[in-house]
Each structure stands twice: as structure tokens, then as C-alpha cells.
Amino acid sequence: MGRLDKYNVELKDLKEQQAEYQWTVDQDFFAVVEGDEVQKGKVEVNLTVSKASGLYKLNFSVAGTVIVTCDRCLDDMPLEIENSGELKVKLGEDFGDDGDIVIVPETQGFVNVAWYIYEFIALAIPIKHVHAPGKCNKGMMEKLDELTVGEDQEGESGQNDTDPRWDDLKNIIENDND
């Protein structure tokens, strides 16, 4: 994890009650982390670490642009993201977690936040991501229109296009209710 050492946050030697960190993560970061959700982008990360009675609260804020695949045309598209969240960490004897608290060895004295940064970025991506209307790959949209049955240009199902098998099933249900 040598290339991610700059994301080590010192806890044991924290002199003040609060410390702040800032990073810009880009393709190099995403390549090293090797997550499936994001491989490209540029995101500003702000981290505030506060210490209170042996518990460290790490407040993350991420904002920037990531490149994702459009669900409709399969081309890459930029997506603006913004997210924030908190991670609680305490020092202990060995790595682990205690509910919502991450435990790092006191002998180590730091936590590497690279994966947590990645997860806050990935969590900011909506489930569905498509280009704005008219921005999708024209060739792909033409092919999709050729292969789509029973839908108009807007992608809305036609009112009168029903599968006759469903009509037969509806008749069975209606006859049972009589």
C-alpha cells in the first residue's frame, strides 16, 4: 500500500484536538485502489479529524467529477458528485470493528483512509446514470430504437400494446372474483 501512504492519518501523535487534511484524488488514485465503481475522475477530499476521550471522529467531505458509464448508451459520461460522512476510530490492540467504530492497533497509531475515501465517492454515485436528453451516443440510440418493441421515441410504453397472454391471465382473475 506504499502508493497510498499519503492517506495515512496519524491518530496516536495527534497534538491538537482537531486536524484537517485535503487531497485531490484522480485516475492515479483510482488505479491504485482498484475499485469497480470508479476508475476515472477528479475529486476534492476534505477530512477533519477531531479527538475526544480516546475516540477519533473523521468527517469526510468529497466533491468533484467522476467518469461513469451511461446506462442507456454505454458511453462514458462525467457525473458531478458530492457526499459527506463520518467514520469513528479508536486505538486498540488489533485491527477490528466494534459496531460502527473501526479499531486500529495502538502500536501502529494511524489509519489509512484511502479505501474510505473511495467508498464515500462510490456512495455518491446514483444507481441510475444517463446522459441528459439528446446527449447519448446517436448510433447506439438508433440501434436501441430498432430493437425496442412497443415504445415510442420518449421510451414510454404505448397504452394499447399489451401482451395477449397477460389479458388472458387478467380474465382468469376477473372470473375468479365473480
Side-chain angles (χ1 to χ4, degrees):
M1 206 179 255
R3 296 191 292 185
L4 296 175
D5 285 346
K6 72 179 187 177
Y7 303 103
N8 288 345
V9 174
E10 289 294 332
L11 301 174
K12 189 175 181 181
D13 297 331
L14 188 66
K15 303 287 185 223
E16 304 168 14
Q17 293 296 0
Q18 188 166 331
E20 294 189 15
Y21 297 84
Q22 294 180 335
W23 299 284
T24 300
V25 298
D26 57 14
Q27 282 79 311
D28 295 335
F29 172 82
F30 295 119
V32 174
V33 171
E34 297 178 356
D36 293 336
E37 299 291 322
V38 184
Q39 281 87 37
K40 299 178 190 171
K42 186 173 183 178
V43 179
E44 299 296 323
V45 179
N46 294 305
L47 171 63
T48 304
V49 180
S50 55
K51 176 181 171 182
S53 64
L55 186 66
Y56 300 87
K57 291 185 181 180
L58 286 66
N59 290 300
F60 293 85
S61 174
V62 296
T65 304
V66 294
I67 307 299
V68 295
T69 303
C70 175
D71 291 334
R72 187 176 296 135
C73 72
L74 304 178
D75 278 358
D76 284 347
M77 62 175 273
L79 181 67
E80 296 292 321
I81 58 138
E82 189 172 334
N83 195 12
S84 61
E86 181 180 77
L87 175 68
K88 295 176 186 170
V89 180
K90 72 178 182 179
L91 299 175
E93 288 191 28
D94 204 5
F95 285 106
D97 63 56
D98 182 19
D100 62 343
I101 299 173
V102 174
I103 302 169
V104 295
E106 191 166 353
T107 56
Q108 183 174 333
F110 68 87
V111 61
N112 185 291
V113 296
W115 184 251
Y116 299 108
I117 291 170
Y118 179 83
E119 288 207 344
F120 282 115
I121 292 169
L123 287 171
I125 299 172
I127 292 173
K128 182 178 179 181
H129 25 85
V130 295
H131 284 104
K135 300 290 182 185
C136 278
N137 178 311
K138 301 247 187 280
M140 181 64 88
M141 293 311 297
E142 288 170 5
K143 190 67 172 173
L144 185 62
D145 286 342
E146 282 177 29
L147 298 172
T148 304
V149 178
E151 293 189 3
D152 60 19
Q153 295 294 345
E154 304 299 314
E156 299 294 324
S157 294
Q159 293 295 330
N160 297 328
D161 297 335
T162 60
D163 186 332
R165 294 174 293 183
W166 288 112
D167 293 336
D168 290 343
L169 288 172
K170 287 180 187 175
N171 288 336
I172 291 172
I173 292 172
E174 289 173 4
N175 289 338
D176 277 350
N177 291 334
D178 289 337

PDB file of all heavy atoms in Angstrom, residues 93-108:
ATOM      1  N   GLU A  93      -5.873  -3.016  20.559  1.00  0.00           N
ATOM      2  CA  GLU A  93      -4.757  -3.955  20.470  1.00  0.00           C
ATOM      3  C   GLU A  93      -4.555  -4.495  19.060  1.00  0.00           C
ATOM      4  O   GLU A  93      -3.438  -4.785  18.653  1.00  0.00           O
ATOM      5  CB  GLU A  93      -4.971  -5.112  21.442  1.00  0.00           C
ATOM      6  CG  GLU A  93      -4.788  -4.702  22.885  1.00  0.00           C
ATOM      7  CD  GLU A  93      -4.738  -5.895  23.803  1.00  0.00           C
ATOM      8  OE1 GLU A  93      -4.325  -6.984  23.361  1.00  0.00           O
ATOM      9  OE2 GLU A  93      -5.114  -5.736  24.973  1.00  0.00           O
ATOM     10  N   ASP A  94      -5.649  -4.661  18.296  1.00  0.00           N
ATOM     11  CA  ASP A  94      -5.551  -5.262  16.975  1.00  0.00           C
ATOM     12  C   ASP A  94      -6.609  -4.627  16.071  1.00  0.00           C
ATOM     13  O   ASP A  94      -7.543  -3.967  16.548  1.00  0.00           O
ATOM     14  CB  ASP A  94      -5.795  -6.774  17.083  1.00  0.00           C
ATOM     15  CG  ASP A  94      -5.177  -7.542  15.938  1.00  0.00           C
ATOM     16  OD1 ASP A  94      -4.484  -6.929  15.105  1.00  0.00           O
ATOM     17  OD2 ASP A  94      -5.405  -8.764  15.866  1.00  0.00           O
ATOM     18  N   PHE A  95      -6.482  -4.844  14.746  1.00  0.00           N
ATOM     19  CA  PHE A  95      -7.480  -4.345  13.815  1.00  0.00           C
ATOM     20  C   PHE A  95      -8.824  -4.991  14.088  1.00  0.00           C
ATOM     21  O   PHE A  95      -8.901  -6.150  14.493  1.00  0.00           O
ATOM     22  CB  PHE A  95      -7.080  -4.676  12.356  1.00  0.00           C
ATOM     23  CG  PHE A  95      -5.978  -3.827  11.824  1.00  0.00           C
ATOM     24  CD1 PHE A  95      -4.705  -4.336  11.674  1.00  0.00           C
ATOM     25  CD2 PHE A  95      -6.206  -2.509  11.460  1.00  0.00           C
ATOM     26  CE1 PHE A  95      -3.680  -3.573  11.166  1.00  0.00           C
ATOM     27  CE2 PHE A  95      -5.193  -1.726  10.956  1.00  0.00           C
ATOM     28  CZ  PHE A  95      -3.917  -2.256  10.815  1.00  0.00           C
ATOM     29  N   GLY A  96      -9.886  -4.255  13.851  1.00  0.00           N
ATOM     30  CA  GLY A  96     -11.226  -4.804  14.010  1.00  0.00           C
ATOM     31  C   GLY A  96     -12.252  -3.707  13.914  1.00  0.00           C
ATOM     32  O   GLY A  96     -11.953  -2.564  13.578  1.00  0.00           O
ATOM     33  N   ASP A  97     -13.483  -4.091  14.202  1.00  0.00           N
ATOM     34  CA  ASP A  97     -14.532  -3.083  14.301  1.00  0.00           C
ATOM     35  C   ASP A  97     -15.480  -3.470  15.415  1.00  0.00           C
ATOM     36  O   ASP A  97     -15.680  -4.637  15.714  1.00  0.00           O
ATOM     37  CB  ASP A  97     -15.264  -2.867  12.972  1.00  0.00           C
ATOM     38  CG  ASP A  97     -16.004  -4.092  12.483  1.00  0.00           C
ATOM     39  OD1 ASP A  97     -16.841  -4.615  13.232  1.00  0.00           O
ATOM     40  OD2 ASP A  97     -15.753  -4.509  11.340  1.00  0.00           O
ATOM     41  N   ASP A  98     -16.014  -2.455  16.016  1.00  0.00           N
ATOM     42  CA  ASP A  98     -16.926  -2.621  17.137  1.00  0.00           C
ATOM     43  C   ASP A  98     -18.210  -1.882  16.764  1.00  0.00           C
ATOM     44  O   ASP A  98     -18.380  -0.723  17.110  1.00  0.00           O
ATOM     45  CB  ASP A  98     -16.289  -2.059  18.412  1.00  0.00           C
ATOM     46  CG  ASP A  98     -17.164  -2.246  19.637  1.00  0.00           C
ATOM     47  OD1 ASP A  98     -18.069  -3.093  19.585  1.00  0.00           O
ATOM     48  OD2 ASP A  98     -16.946  -1.524  20.634  1.00  0.00           O
ATOM     49  N   GLY A  99     -19.068  -2.541  15.998  1.00  0.00           N
ATOM     50  CA  GLY A  99     -20.276  -1.869  15.509  1.00  0.00           C
ATOM     51  C   GLY A  99     -19.901  -0.856  14.447  1.00  0.00           C
ATOM     52  O   GLY A  99     -19.421  -1.203  13.382  1.00  0.00           O
ATOM     53  N   ASP A 100     -20.080   0.414  14.762  1.00  0.00           N
ATOM     54  CA  ASP A 100     -19.764   1.465  13.791  1.00  0.00           C
ATOM     55  C   ASP A 100     -18.423   2.142  14.088  1.00  0.00           C
ATOM     56  O   ASP A 100     -18.144   3.222  13.571  1.00  0.00           O
ATOM     57  CB  ASP A 100     -20.888   2.495  13.743  1.00  0.00           C
ATOM     58  CG  ASP A 100     -21.103   3.206  15.074  1.00  0.00           C
ATOM     59  OD1 ASP A 100     -20.630   2.700  16.102  1.00  0.00           O
ATOM     60  OD2 ASP A 100     -21.748   4.276  15.081  1.00  0.00           O
ATOM     61  N   ILE A 101     -17.593   1.499  14.901  1.00  0.00           N
ATOM     62  CA  ILE A 101     -16.282   2.058  15.250  1.00  0.00           C
ATOM     63  C   ILE A 101     -15.182   1.145  14.709  1.00  0.00           C
ATOM     64  O   ILE A 101     -15.181  -0.061  14.946  1.00  0.00           O
ATOM     65  CB  ILE A 101     -16.133   2.210  16.779  1.00  0.00           C
ATOM     66  CG1 ILE A 101     -17.206   3.154  17.325  1.00  0.00           C
ATOM     67  CG2 ILE A 101     -14.734   2.717  17.129  1.00  0.00           C
ATOM     68  CD1 ILE A 101     -17.243   3.239  18.830  1.00  0.00           C
ATOM     69  N   VAL A 102     -14.244   1.728  13.957  1.00  0.00           N
ATOM     70  CA  VAL A 102     -13.102   0.987  13.438  1.00  0.00           C
ATOM     71  C   VAL A 102     -11.998   1.019  14.494  1.00  0.00           C
ATOM     72  O   VAL A 102     -11.717   2.060  15.085  1.00  0.00           O
ATOM     73  CB  VAL A 102     -12.597   1.617  12.120  1.00  0.00           C
ATOM     74  CG1 VAL A 102     -11.326   0.944  11.641  1.00  0.00           C
ATOM     75  CG2 VAL A 102     -13.675   1.536  11.051  1.00  0.00           C
ATOM     76  N   ILE A 103     -11.373  -0.131  14.724  1.00  0.00           N
ATOM     77  CA  ILE A 103     -10.291  -0.211  15.709  1.00  0.00           C
ATOM     78  C   ILE A 103      -8.982  -0.439  14.962  1.00  0.00           C
ATOM     79  O   ILE A 103      -8.891  -1.320  14.114  1.00  0.00           O
ATOM     80  CB  ILE A 103     -10.541  -1.365  16.705  1.00  0.00           C
ATOM     81  CG1 ILE A 103     -11.886  -1.167  17.412  1.00  0.00           C
ATOM     82  CG2 ILE A 103      -9.401  -1.459  17.709  1.00  0.00           C
ATOM     83  CD1 ILE A 103     -12.355  -2.360  18.197  1.00  0.00           C
ATOM     84  N   VAL A 104      -7.983   0.398  15.258  1.00  0.00           N
ATOM     85  CA  VAL A 104      -6.645   0.222  14.679  1.00  0.00           C
ATOM     86  C   VAL A 104      -5.672  -0.028  15.825  1.00  0.00           C
ATOM     87  O   VAL A 104      -5.857   0.470  16.931  1.00  0.00           O
ATOM     88  CB  VAL A 104      -6.200   1.436  13.834  1.00  0.00           C
ATOM     89  CG1 VAL A 104      -7.092   1.599  12.627  1.00  0.00           C
ATOM     90  CG2 VAL A 104      -6.167   2.703  14.638  1.00  0.00           C
ATOM     91  N   PRO A 105      -4.613  -0.800  15.580  1.00  0.00           N
ATOM     92  CA  PRO A 105      -3.654  -1.104  16.645  1.00  0.00           C
ATOM     93  C   PRO A 105      -2.972   0.158  17.170  1.00  0.00           C
ATOM     94  O   PRO A 105      -2.544   1.013  16.399  1.00  0.00           O
ATOM     95  CB  PRO A 105      -2.632  -2.015  15.960  1.00  0.00           C
ATOM     96  CG  PRO A 105      -3.282  -2.508  14.737  1.00  0.00           C
ATOM     97  CD  PRO A 105      -4.276  -1.472  14.331  1.00  0.00           C
ATOM     98  N   GLU A 106      -2.887   0.250  18.468  1.00  0.00           N
ATOM     99  CA  GLU A 106      -2.237   1.407  19.089  1.00  0.00           C
ATOM    100  C   GLU A 106      -0.763   1.451  18.711  1.00  0.00           C
ATOM    101  O   GLU A 106      -0.186   2.532  18.583  1.00  0.00           O
ATOM    102  CB  GLU A 106      -2.402   1.349  20.613  1.00  0.00           C
ATOM    103  CG  GLU A 106      -1.996   2.630  21.291  1.00  0.00           C
ATOM    104  CD  GLU A 106      -2.462   2.694  22.734  1.00  0.00           C
ATOM    105  OE1 GLU A 106      -3.214   1.820  23.183  1.00  0.00           O
ATOM    106  OE2 GLU A 106      -2.056   3.651  23.401  1.00  0.00           O
ATOM    107  N   THR A 107      -0.157   0.291  18.495  1.00  0.00           N
ATOM    108  CA  THR A 107       1.254   0.266  18.099  1.00  0.00           C
ATOM    109  C   THR A 107       1.450   0.893  16.723  1.00  0.00           C
ATOM    110  O   THR A 107       2.490   1.485  16.451  1.00  0.00           O
ATOM    111  CB  THR A 107       1.782  -1.185  18.065  1.00  0.00           C
ATOM    112  OG1 THR A 107       0.952  -1.962  17.191  1.00  0.00           O
ATOM    113  CG2 THR A 107       1.793  -1.788  19.454  1.00  0.00           C
ATOM    114  N   GLN A 108       0.456   0.776  15.867  1.00  0.00           N
ATOM    115  CA  GLN A 108       0.524   1.398  14.535  1.00  0.00           C
ATOM    116  C   GLN A 108       0.260   2.893  14.652  1.00  0.00           C
ATOM    117  O   GLN A 108       0.987   3.697  14.090  1.00  0.00           O
ATOM    118  CB  GLN A 108      -0.488   0.731  13.604  1.00  0.00           C
ATOM    119  CG  GLN A 108      -0.457   1.248  12.196  1.00  0.00           C
ATOM    120  CD  GLN A 108      -1.376   0.445  11.281  1.00  0.00           C
ATOM    121  OE1 GLN A 108      -1.649  -0.721  11.519  1.00  0.00           O
ATOM    122  NE2 GLN A 108      -1.852   1.091  10.252  1.00  0.00           N
TER     123      GLN A 108
END
